[in-house]
Amino acid sequence: MRTPRQAARTAVIDPEGAVFLLRYDNPEVGVHWAMPGGGLDPGESPREGARRELCEETGWTDLEPGALLCTWEHDFTRAGVPVRQHEHIYLASGPRRAPADHVLGVHAEEGILTWRWWSLGELAGSPEALWPPQLPDLLSRVRTRDALEPVHLGYVA
């Protein structure tokens, strides 16, 4: 039996179309790249959680989660507990920049090893795991302006 968990993330896209990702190294999940985000606090909406997590993990307070890019569900183990996580991923436009220095402690606590801006081509050729795995295809829709309707990926094994 898996514990349900709600989460939200923000895909920050720079003016050239690159996306900001964090590299997580979790002993229960393994190495993977994902957008800033995480579990929702009690009573928090997905959009509120995306905004809070974006600020906590980047220090950027000037970005607002916009259109919903997608939703998806996946299983993993968090702190020894098997969970089924349902994620909302929002879009935001922002300048290419580094996270603020004061968030480095949060990165250490959360198992975030590094960060980087990825072009669509780099994402498509990445040998490392991406959350969600369909991220290159989802972001290609943004470039072609097809992202007006969110994609509901459902459960992704």
Side-chain angles (χ1 to χ4, degrees):
M1 181 80 174
R2 294 199 170 265
T3 301
R5 183 174 193 248
Q6 298 292 314
R9 299 187 180 280
T10 305
V12 179
I13 311 295
D14 80 358
E16 286 80 42
V19 64
F20 178 83
L21 297 180
L22 299 168
R23 185 177 189 254
Y24 294 83
D25 188 8
N26 180 304
E28 297 169 315
V29 177
V31 172
H32 61 283
W33 290 89
M35 291 139 292
L40 302 183
D41 288 343
E44 191 172 49
S45 74
R47 190 175 301 279
E48 290 167 340
R51 182 183 314 110
R52 176 186 50 76
E53 287 282 344
L54 179 62
C55 183
E56 287 177 5
E57 293 184 350
T58 66
W60 304 335
T61 58
D62 59 337
L63 300 182
E64 191 67 30
L68 181 64
L69 175 66
C70 72
T71 61
W72 73 302
E73 293 182 11
H74 58 107
D75 294 340
F76 69 101
T77 302
R78 183 179 184 279
V81 177
V83 298
R84 173 152 299 169
Q85 183 155 294
H86 179 81
E87 291 190 8
H88 287 74
I89 299 176
Y90 296 94
L91 290 168
S93 295
R96 183 179 289 237
R97 60 185 161 182
D101 289 339
H102 72 271
V103 300
L104 298 180
V106 171
H107 286 195
E109 290 172 16
E110 297 291 325
I112 298 170
L113 299 179
T114 193
W115 58 272
R116 119 170 225 212
W117 289 91
W118 292 75
S119 72
L120 196 55
E122 291 169 330
L123 271 181
S126 174
E128 293 187 353
L130 301 171
W131 279 19
Q134 302 88 339
L135 188 58
D137 292 336
L138 291 166
L139 293 177
S140 71
R141 295 177 68 239
V142 174
R143 292 191 113 178
T144 60
R145 304 271 192 250
D146 292 334
L148 300 176
E149 292 296 320
V151 175
H152 302 286
L153 298 173
Y155 174 75
V156 178

